[in-house]
Amino acid sequence: MRSATVVILRPGPREPAGEPGEKVLTSYLRELEADCVVSREEESQGAVRRVTYALTPLGVSLNVALGPLGAWGREHLLCERGAPQEAP
């Protein structure tokens, strides 16, 4: 599982961000789908295919669980760079 991808996602339908590259992001999202962390919905509009991903309840709970780790990282990484920041 790629936790960096989980940080990018928020609850609710959302299109993937531009970074990392489209193929890499698609691969990460497929892994997360296989782990039941995200759901994938495909919609065809003529020749255009639209795919959206959303956090599942498991993904939401994982996001909540990773929140304190993210706060710790922001506090300590920014502190190491000379700009301390309090955790939310």
Coordinates of all heavy atoms in Angstrom, one line a residue:
M1 N 0.8 -1.2 0.0 CA 0.0 0.0 0.0 C 0.9 1.2 0.0 O 1.9 1.3 0.6 CB -0.9 0.0 1.2 CG -1.8 1.1 1.3 SD -2.9 1.3 2.7 CE -3.0 -0.4 3.3
R2 N 0.5 2.3 -0.7 CA 1.2 3.5 -0.8 C 0.6 4.6 0.0 O -0.4 5.1 -0.4 CB 1.3 4.0 -2.3 CG 1.8 2.9 -3.2 CD 3.3 3.1 -3.4 NE 3.7 2.3 -4.5 CZ 4.4 1.2 -4.5 NH1 4.6 0.7 -3.3 NH2 4.8 0.6 -5.5
S3 N 1.1 4.9 1.2 CA 0.5 5.8 2.1 C 0.5 7.2 1.5 O -0.3 8.0 1.8 CB 1.1 5.8 3.5 OG 2.5 6.1 3.4
A4 N 1.5 7.5 0.7 CA 1.6 8.9 0.1 C 0.3 9.2 -0.7 O -0.1 10.3 -0.7 CB 2.8 9.0 -0.7
T5 N -0.2 8.2 -1.3 CA -1.4 8.4 -2.1 C -2.6 8.7 -1.2 O -3.4 9.5 -1.6 CB -1.7 7.1 -3.0 OG1 -0.5 6.9 -3.8 CG2 -2.9 7.4 -3.9
V6 N -2.7 8.0 -0.1 CA -3.8 8.2 0.8 C -3.8 9.7 1.3 O -4.8 10.3 1.4 CB -3.7 7.3 2.0 CG1 -4.7 7.6 3.1 CG2 -3.8 5.8 1.6
V7 N -2.6 10.3 1.5 CA -2.6 11.7 1.9 C -3.1 12.6 0.9 O -3.8 13.6 1.2 CB -1.1 12.0 2.2 CG1 -1.0 13.5 2.6 CG2 -0.6 11.2 3.4
I8 N -3.0 12.2 -0.4 CA -3.5 13.1 -1.5 C -5.0 13.1 -1.5 O -5.6 14.0 -1.8 CB -2.9 12.6 -2.9 CG1 -1.4 12.8 -2.9 CG2 -3.6 13.3 -4.0 CD1 -0.8 12.2 -4.1
L9 N -5.6 11.9 -1.2 CA -7.1 11.8 -1.3 C -7.8 12.4 -0.1 O -7.3 12.4 1.0 CB -7.4 10.3 -1.4 CG -6.9 9.6 -2.7 CD1 -7.2 8.1 -2.6 CD2 -7.5 10.2 -3.9
R10 N -9.0 12.8 -0.3 CA -9.9 13.3 0.7 C -11.2 12.6 0.5 O -11.5 12.1 -0.5 CB -10.1 14.8 0.5 CG -8.9 15.7 0.6 CD -8.4 15.7 2.1 NE -7.3 16.6 2.2 CZ -6.0 16.3 2.2 NH1 -5.7 15.0 2.1 NH2 -5.0 17.2 2.3
P11 N -12.0 12.5 1.6 CA -13.3 11.9 1.4 C -14.1 12.4 0.3 O -14.1 13.6 0.0 CB -14.0 12.1 2.8 CG -12.9 12.3 3.7 CD -11.8 13.0 2.9
G12 N -14.9 11.6 -0.4 CA -15.7 12.0 -1.5 C -15.1 11.8 -2.9 O -13.9 11.6 -3.0
P13 N -15.8 11.8 -3.9 CA -15.3 11.7 -5.3 C -14.3 12.8 -5.6 O -14.5 13.9 -5.2 CB -16.5 11.8 -6.2 CG -17.7 11.5 -5.3 CD -17.3 12.0 -3.9
R14 N -13.3 12.4 -6.3 CA -12.2 13.3 -6.6 C -11.4 12.8 -7.8 O -11.2 11.6 -7.8 CB -11.3 13.5 -5.4 CG -10.3 14.6 -5.6 CD -9.8 15.0 -4.2 NE -10.7 15.9 -3.6 CZ -10.4 17.1 -3.2 NH1 -9.2 17.5 -3.2 NH2 -11.4 17.8 -2.6
E15 N -10.9 13.6 -8.6 CA -10.1 13.2 -9.7 C -8.6 13.2 -9.2 O -8.3 14.0 -8.4 CB -10.2 14.2 -10.9 CG -11.6 14.1 -11.6 CD -11.6 15.0 -12.8 OE1 -10.6 15.0 -13.5 OE2 -12.7 15.6 -13.0
P16 N -7.8 12.3 -9.7 CA -6.4 12.3 -9.3 C -5.7 13.6 -9.6 O -6.0 14.2 -10.6 CB -5.8 11.1 -10.1 CG -7.0 10.3 -10.6 CD -8.1 11.2 -10.7
A17 N -4.7 13.9 -8.8 CA -3.9 15.1 -9.0 C -2.9 14.9 -10.1 O -2.7 13.8 -10.5 CB -3.2 15.5 -7.7
G18 N -2.3 15.9 -10.6 CA -1.3 15.8 -11.7 C 0.0 15.2 -11.3 O 0.7 14.7 -12.2
E19 N 0.4 15.2 -10.1 CA 1.6 14.6 -9.7 C 1.4 13.5 -8.7 O 0.5 13.6 -7.9 CB 2.5 15.7 -9.0 CG 3.0 16.8 -9.8 CD 4.1 16.4 -10.8 OE1 4.8 15.4 -10.6 OE2 4.1 17.0 -11.9
P20 N 2.0 12.4 -8.7 CA 3.0 11.9 -9.7 C 2.3 11.7 -11.1 O 1.2 12.0 -11.3 CB 3.4 10.6 -9.1 CG 2.3 10.1 -8.3 CD 1.6 11.4 -7.8
G21 N 3.1 11.2 -12.0 CA 2.7 10.9 -13.4 C 1.4 10.1 -13.4 O 1.1 9.3 -12.5
E22 N 0.7 10.2 -14.5 CA -0.6 9.5 -14.6 C -0.5 8.0 -14.5 O -1.3 7.4 -13.8 CB -1.3 9.9 -16.0 CG -2.7 9.4 -16.1 CD -3.3 9.8 -17.4 OE1 -3.0 10.9 -17.9 OE2 -4.2 9.1 -17.9
K23 N 0.5 7.4 -15.1 CA 0.7 5.9 -15.1 C 1.0 5.5 -13.7 O 0.5 4.5 -13.2 CB 1.7 5.5 -16.0 CG 1.3 5.5 -17.5 CD 2.4 4.9 -18.4 CE 2.0 5.0 -19.8 NZ 3.0 4.4 -20.7
V24 N 1.9 6.2 -13.0 CA 2.3 5.9 -11.6 C 1.1 6.0 -10.7 O 0.8 5.2 -9.8 CB 3.4 6.7 -11.1 CG1 3.7 6.5 -9.7 CG2 4.7 6.4 -12.0
L25 N 0.4 7.1 -10.8 CA -0.8 7.4 -9.9 C -1.9 6.3 -10.2 O -2.5 5.8 -9.2 CB -1.4 8.8 -10.2 CG -2.5 9.2 -9.3 CD1 -2.2 9.1 -7.8 CD2 -3.0 10.6 -9.7
T26 N -2.1 6.0 -11.4 CA -3.1 4.9 -11.7 C -2.7 3.6 -11.1 O -3.5 2.9 -10.5 CB -3.3 4.7 -13.2 OG1 -3.7 6.0 -13.8 CG2 -4.2 3.6 -13.6
S27 N -1.4 3.3 -11.1 CA -0.9 2.0 -10.5 C -1.1 2.1 -9.0 O -1.6 1.1 -8.4 CB 0.6 1.9 -10.8 OG 1.1 0.8 -10.1
Y28 N -0.8 3.2 -8.4 CA -1.0 3.3 -6.9 C -2.5 3.2 -6.6 O -2.9 2.5 -5.6 CB -0.5 4.7 -6.4 CG 1.0 4.9 -6.4 CD1 1.5 6.2 -6.2 CD2 1.8 3.9 -6.6 CE1 2.8 6.4 -6.2 CE2 3.2 4.1 -6.6 CZ 3.7 5.3 -6.4 OH 5.0 5.5 -6.4
L29 N -3.4 3.9 -7.3 CA -4.8 3.8 -7.1 C -5.3 2.4 -7.3 O -6.2 2.0 -6.5 CB -5.5 4.8 -7.9 CG -5.3 6.3 -7.5 CD1 -5.8 7.2 -8.6 CD2 -6.0 6.6 -6.2
R30 N -4.8 1.7 -8.2 CA -5.3 0.3 -8.4 C -4.9 -0.6 -7.3 O -5.7 -1.4 -6.8 CB -4.7 -0.3 -9.7 CG -5.3 0.4 -11.0 CD -6.7 -0.1 -11.3 NE -7.3 0.6 -12.4 CZ -7.5 0.0 -13.5 NH1 -7.2 -1.2 -13.8 NH2 -8.1 0.7 -14.5
E31 N -3.7 -0.3 -6.7 CA -3.3 -1.1 -5.5 C -4.2 -0.7 -4.3 O -4.6 -1.6 -3.6 CB -1.8 -0.7 -5.1 CG -0.8 -1.3 -6.0 CD 0.6 -1.0 -5.5 OE1 0.8 -1.0 -4.2 OE2 1.5 -0.7 -6.3
L32 N -4.5 0.5 -4.2 CA -5.4 0.9 -3.1 C -6.8 0.4 -3.3 O -7.4 0.0 -2.3 CB -5.4 2.5 -3.0 CG -4.1 3.1 -2.5 CD1 -4.1 4.6 -2.7 CD2 -3.8 2.7 -1.0
E33 N -7.2 0.3 -4.5 CA -8.5 -0.3 -4.8 C -8.5 -1.8 -4.4 O -9.4 -2.3 -3.8 CB -8.9 -0.2 -6.3 CG -10.2 -0.7 -6.6 CD -10.5 -0.7 -8.1 OE1 -9.6 -0.5 -8.9 OE2 -11.7 -0.9 -8.5
A34 N -7.4 -2.5 -4.8 CA -7.3 -3.9 -4.4 C -7.3 -4.1 -2.9 O -7.7 -5.2 -2.4 CB -6.0 -4.5 -5.0
D35 N -6.8 -3.1 -2.2 CA -6.7 -3.2 -0.7 C -8.0 -2.6 -0.1 O -8.1 -2.5 1.2 CB -5.5 -2.4 -0.2 CG -4.2 -3.1 -0.5 OD1 -4.2 -4.3 -0.7 OD2 -3.2 -2.3 -0.6
C36 N -9.0 -2.3 -0.9 CA -10.3 -1.8 -0.4 C -10.2 -0.4 0.3 O -11.0 -0.1 1.1 CB -11.0 -2.8 0.5 SG -11.4 -4.3 -0.3
V37 N -9.1 0.3 0.0 CA -9.0 1.7 0.6 C -9.7 2.7 -0.2 O -10.2 3.7 0.3 CB -7.4 2.0 0.7 CG1 -7.2 3.4 1.2 CG2 -6.8 1.0 1.6
V38 N -9.7 2.5 -1.6 CA -10.5 3.4 -2.4 C -11.4 2.6 -3.3 O -11.2 1.4 -3.5 CB -9.6 4.3 -3.4 CG1 -8.6 5.2 -2.5 CG2 -8.8 3.4 -4.3
S39 N -12.5 3.3 -3.8 CA -13.4 2.7 -4.7 C -13.2 3.4 -6.1 O -12.8 4.6 -6.1 CB -14.8 2.8 -4.3 OG -15.2 4.2 -4.2
R40 N -13.5 2.7 -7.1 CA -13.2 3.2 -8.5 C -14.6 3.2 -9.2 O -15.3 2.2 -9.2 CB -12.2 2.4 -9.2 CG -11.9 2.8 -10.6 CD -10.8 1.8 -11.1 NE -10.4 2.2 -12.5 CZ -10.9 1.8 -13.6 NH1 -11.9 0.9 -13.6 NH2 -10.4 2.2 -14.7
E41 N -14.9 4.3 -9.8 CA -16.1 4.4 -10.6 C -15.8 4.9 -12.0 O -15.1 5.9 -12.2 CB -17.1 5.3 -10.0 CG -18.5 5.3 -10.6 CD -19.5 6.2 -9.9 OE1 -19.5 6.1 -8.7 OE2 -20.2 7.0 -10.6
E42 N -16.2 4.1 -13.0 CA -15.9 4.4 -14.4 C -17.2 4.8 -15.1 O -18.3 4.2 -14.9 CB -15.4 3.2 -15.1 CG -14.8 3.5 -16.4 CD -14.0 2.3 -17.0 OE1 -13.4 1.6 -16.2 OE2 -14.1 2.1 -18.2
E43 N -17.1 5.9 -15.8 CA -18.3 6.5 -16.5 C -17.9 6.9 -17.9 O -16.9 7.5 -18.2 CB -18.7 7.7 -15.7 CG -20.0 8.4 -16.3 CD -20.3 9.7 -15.4 OE1 -20.1 9.6 -14.2 OE2 -20.7 10.7 -16.0
S44 N -18.7 6.4 -18.9 CA -18.4 6.7 -20.3 C -19.4 7.8 -20.8 O -20.6 7.7 -20.5 CB -18.5 5.5 -21.2 OG -17.5 4.5 -20.8
Q45 N -18.8 8.8 -21.4 CA -19.6 9.8 -22.0 C -19.2 9.9 -23.5 O -18.3 10.7 -23.9 CB -19.4 11.2 -21.3 CG -19.8 11.1 -19.9 CD -19.4 12.4 -19.1 OE1 -18.6 13.2 -19.6 NE2 -20.0 12.6 -17.9
G46 N -19.9 9.1 -24.3 CA -19.5 9.0 -25.7 C -18.1 8.3 -25.8 O -17.9 7.2 -25.3
A47 N -17.2 9.0 -26.4 CA -15.8 8.4 -26.6 C -14.9 8.7 -25.4 O -13.8 8.2 -25.3 CB -15.2 9.0 -27.9
V48 N -15.5 9.6 -24.5 CA -14.7 10.0 -23.3 C -15.0 9.1 -22.1 O -16.2 8.9 -21.8 CB -15.0 11.5 -23.0 CG1 -14.2 11.9 -21.7 CG2 -14.7 12.4 -24.1
R49 N -13.9 8.6 -21.5 CA -14.1 7.7 -20.3 C -13.6 8.5 -19.1 O -12.5 9.0 -19.2 CB -13.3 6.4 -20.5 CG -13.6 5.5 -19.4 CD -12.7 4.2 -19.6 NE -11.4 4.6 -19.3 CZ -10.4 3.7 -19.0 NH1 -10.6 2.5 -19.0 NH2 -9.2 4.1 -18.7
R50 N -14.4 8.6 -18.1 CA -14.1 9.3 -16.9 C -14.0 8.3 -15.8 O -15.0 7.5 -15.5 CB -15.1 10.4 -16.6 CG -14.9 11.2 -15.4 CD -16.0 12.2 -15.2 NE -16.0 12.8 -13.9 CZ -15.4 14.0 -13.7 NH1 -14.9 14.7 -14.7 NH2 -15.4 14.5 -12.5
V51 N -12.9 8.3 -15.0 CA -12.7 7.5 -13.9 C -12.6 8.3 -12.6 O -11.8 9.3 -12.6 CB -11.5 6.6 -14.0 CG1 -11.3 5.7 -12.8 CG2 -11.6 5.7 -15.3
T52 N -13.4 8.1 -11.6 CA -13.2 8.8 -10.3 C -12.9 7.8 -9.2 O -13.4 6.6 -9.3 CB -14.5 9.6 -10.0 OG1 -15.6 8.8 -10.0 CG2 -14.7 10.7 -11.0
Y53 N -12.2 8.2 -8.3 CA -11.8 7.4 -7.1 C -12.3 8.1 -5.9 O -12.4 9.4 -5.8 CB -10.3 7.2 -7.0 CG -9.7 6.4 -8.1 CD1 -9.4 6.9 -9.3 CD2 -9.6 5.0 -7.9 CE1 -8.8 6.2 -10.3 CE2 -9.0 4.2 -8.9 CZ -8.6 4.8 -10.1 OH -8.1 4.0 -11.1
A54 N -12.8 7.4 -4.9 CA -13.2 7.9 -3.6 C -12.7 7.0 -2.5 O -12.5 5.8 -2.7 CB -14.7 8.0 -3.6
L55 N -12.5 7.6 -1.3 CA -12.1 6.8 -0.2 C -13.3 5.9 0.2 O -14.4 6.4 0.3 CB -11.7 7.6 1.0 CG -10.4 8.4 0.9 CD1 -10.2 9.3 2.0 CD2 -9.2 7.4 0.8
T56 N -13.1 4.7 0.5 CA -14.1 3.8 1.1 C -14.1 4.1 2.6 O -13.3 4.8 3.2 CB -13.7 2.3 0.9 OG1 -12.4 2.1 1.6 CG2 -13.5 2.0 -0.6
P57 N -15.1 3.5 3.3 CA -15.1 3.7 4.8 C -13.7 3.2 5.4 O -13.2 3.9 6.3 CB -16.2 2.8 5.3 CG -17.2 2.8 4.1 CD -16.3 2.8 2.9
L58 N -13.1 2.1 4.9 CA -11.8 1.7 5.4 C -10.8 2.8 5.1 O -9.9 3.1 5.9 CB -11.4 0.4 4.7 CG -10.1 -0.2 5.1 CD1 -10.0 -0.6 6.5 CD2 -9.7 -1.4 4.2
G59 N -10.8 3.4 3.9 CA -9.9 4.4 3.5 C -10.1 5.7 4.4 O -9.1 6.3 4.8
V60 N -11.3 6.0 4.8 CA -11.5 7.1 5.7 C -10.9 6.8 7.0 O -10.3 7.7 7.6 CB -13.1 7.4 5.8 CG1 -13.3 8.4 6.9 CG2 -13.6 7.9 4.4
S61 N -11.2 5.6 7.5 CA -10.6 5.3 8.8 C -9.1 5.3 8.8 O -8.4 5.7 9.8 CB -11.2 4.0 9.3 OG -10.6 2.9 8.6
L62 N -8.5 4.8 7.7 CA -7.0 4.9 7.5 C -6.5 6.3 7.5 O -5.5 6.7 8.2 CB -6.6 4.1 6.3 CG -5.1 4.1 6.0 CD1 -4.3 3.5 7.1 CD2 -4.8 3.4 4.7
N63 N -7.3 7.2 6.8 CA -6.9 8.6 6.7 C -6.9 9.2 8.1 O -6.0 10.0 8.5 CB -7.8 9.3 5.8 CG -7.3 10.7 5.4 OD1 -6.1 10.8 5.2 ND2 -8.2 11.6 5.1
V64 N -7.9 8.9 8.9 CA -8.0 9.4 10.3 C -6.9 8.9 11.1 O -6.2 9.6 11.9 CB -9.4 9.0 10.9 CG1 -9.4 9.3 12.4 CG2 -10.5 9.7 10.3
A65 N -6.5 7.6 11.0 CA -5.4 7.0 11.7 C -4.1 7.6 11.4 O -3.2 7.7 12.2 CB -5.4 5.5 11.5
L66 N -3.9 8.0 10.1 CA -2.7 8.6 9.6 C -2.6 10.1 10.0 O -1.5 10.6 9.9 CB -2.5 8.4 8.1 CG -2.3 7.0 7.7 CD1 -2.3 6.9 6.2 CD2 -1.0 6.4 8.3
G67 N -3.7 10.7 10.4 CA -3.7 12.1 10.7 C -2.6 12.5 11.8 O -1.8 13.4 11.5
P68 N -2.5 11.8 12.9 CA -1.5 12.1 13.9 C -0.1 11.9 13.4 O 0.8 12.7 13.7 CB -1.8 11.1 15.0 CG -3.2 10.8 14.9 CD -3.5 10.8 13.4
L69 N 0.1 10.9 12.5 CA 1.4 10.7 11.9 C 1.8 11.9 11.0 O 2.9 12.4 11.0 CB 1.5 9.4 11.1 CG 2.8 9.1 10.4 CD1 3.9 8.9 11.5 CD2 2.6 7.8 9.6
G70 N 0.8 12.4 10.2 CA 1.0 13.5 9.4 C 1.3 14.8 10.2 O 2.2 15.5 9.8
A71 N 0.6 15.0 11.3 CA 0.9 16.1 12.1 C 2.3 16.0 12.7 O 3.0 17.0 12.7 CB -0.1 16.2 13.3
W72 N 2.7 14.9 13.1 CA 4.1 14.7 13.7 C 5.1 15.0 12.6 O 6.1 15.7 12.8 CB 4.2 13.2 14.2 CG 5.6 13.0 14.7 CD1 6.0 13.1 16.0 CD2 6.8 12.5 14.0 NE1 7.3 12.8 16.2 CE2 7.8 12.4 14.9 CE3 7.0 12.2 12.7 CZ2 9.1 12.0 14.6 CZ3 8.3 11.8 12.3 CH2 9.3 11.8 13.2
G73 N 4.9 14.5 11.4 CA 5.8 14.7 10.3 C 5.9 16.2 9.9 O 7.0 16.7 9.8
R74 N 4.8 16.9 9.9 CA 4.8 18.4 9.6 C 5.6 19.1 10.6 O 6.4 20.0 10.4 CB 3.4 18.9 9.5 CG 2.7 18.6 8.2 CD 1.4 19.3 8.0 NE 0.4 19.0 9.1 CZ -0.4 17.9 9.0 NH1 -0.3 17.1 8.0 NH2 -1.2 17.7 10.0
E75 N 5.3 18.8 11.9 CA 6.0 19.4 13.0 C 7.5 19.2 13.0 O 8.3 20.1 13.1 CB 5.4 19.0 14.3 CG 6.1 19.6 15.5 CD 5.5 19.1 16.8 OE1 4.4 18.5 16.9 OE2 6.2 19.3 17.9
H76 N 7.9 18.0 12.8 CA 9.3 17.6 12.9 C 10.1 17.9 11.6 O 11.2 18.4 11.6 CB 9.5 16.2 13.3 CG 9.1 16.0 14.7 ND1 7.8 15.8 15.1 CD2 9.9 16.0 15.9 CE1 7.8 15.7 16.4 NE2 9.0 15.8 16.9
L77 N 9.5 17.7 10.4 CA 10.2 18.0 9.2 C 10.4 19.5 9.0 O 11.4 20.0 8.6 CB 9.4 17.4 8.0 CG 9.5 15.9 7.9 CD1 8.6 15.4 6.7 CD2 10.9 15.4 7.8
L78 N 9.3 20.3 9.3 CA 9.5 21.7 9.2 C 10.5 22.2 10.3 O 11.2 23.2 10.0 CB 8.1 22.4 9.4 CG 7.1 22.1 8.2 CD1 5.8 22.7 8.5 CD2 7.7 22.7 6.9
C79 N 10.5 21.6 11.4 CA 11.4 22.1 12.5 C 12.8 21.8 12.0 O 13.7 22.7 12.2 CB 11.1 21.3 13.8 SG 12.1 21.9 15.2
E80 N 13.1 20.7 11.4 CA 14.4 20.4 10.9 C 14.8 21.4 9.8 O 16.0 21.7 9.6 CB 14.5 19.0 10.3 CG 14.4 17.9 11.3 CD 14.4 16.5 10.7 OE1 14.6 16.4 9.5 OE2 14.1 15.6 11.5
R81 N 13.9 22.0 9.1 CA 14.2 22.9 8.0 C 14.3 24.3 8.5 O 14.4 25.3 7.8 CB 13.2 22.8 6.9 CG 13.2 21.5 6.2 CD 12.2 21.5 5.1 NE 12.2 20.1 4.5 CZ 11.1 19.5 4.1 NH1 9.9 20.1 4.2 NH2 11.2 18.3 3.6
G82 N 14.1 24.5 9.8 CA 14.3 25.8 10.4 C 13.0 26.6 10.6 O 13.0 27.8 10.9
A83 N 11.9 26.0 10.3 CA 10.6 26.7 10.4 C 9.6 25.9 11.2 O 8.7 25.2 10.7 CB 10.0 27.0 9.0
P84 N 9.8 25.8 12.6 CA 8.9 25.0 13.4 C 7.4 25.4 13.3 O 7.1 26.6 13.1 CB 9.4 25.2 14.8 CG 10.2 26.5 14.8 CD 10.7 26.6 13.4
Q85 N 6.6 24.4 13.3 CA 5.2 24.7 13.2 C 4.4 23.7 14.1 O 4.8 22.6 14.2 CB 4.7 24.3 11.7 CG 3.2 24.6 11.5 CD 2.8 24.3 10.1 OE1 3.6 24.2 9.2 NE2 1.5 24.2 9.9
E86 N 3.5 24.3 14.8 CA 2.7 23.5 15.8 C 1.8 22.5 15.1 O 1.3 22.8 14.0 CB 1.9 24.4 16.7 CG 2.7 25.1 17.7 CD 1.8 25.8 18.7 OE1 0.8 25.3 19.0 OE2 2.3 26.9 19.1
A87 N 1.6 21.3 15.6 CA 0.7 20.4 15.1 C -0.8 20.9 15.3 O -1.0 21.6 16.3 CB 0.8 19.0 15.7
P88 N -1.7 20.7 14.3 CA -3.0 21.1 14.4 C -3.8 20.4 15.5 O -3.5 19.4 16.0 CB -3.7 20.8 13.1 CG -2.8 19.9 12.4 CD -1.4 20.0 13.0

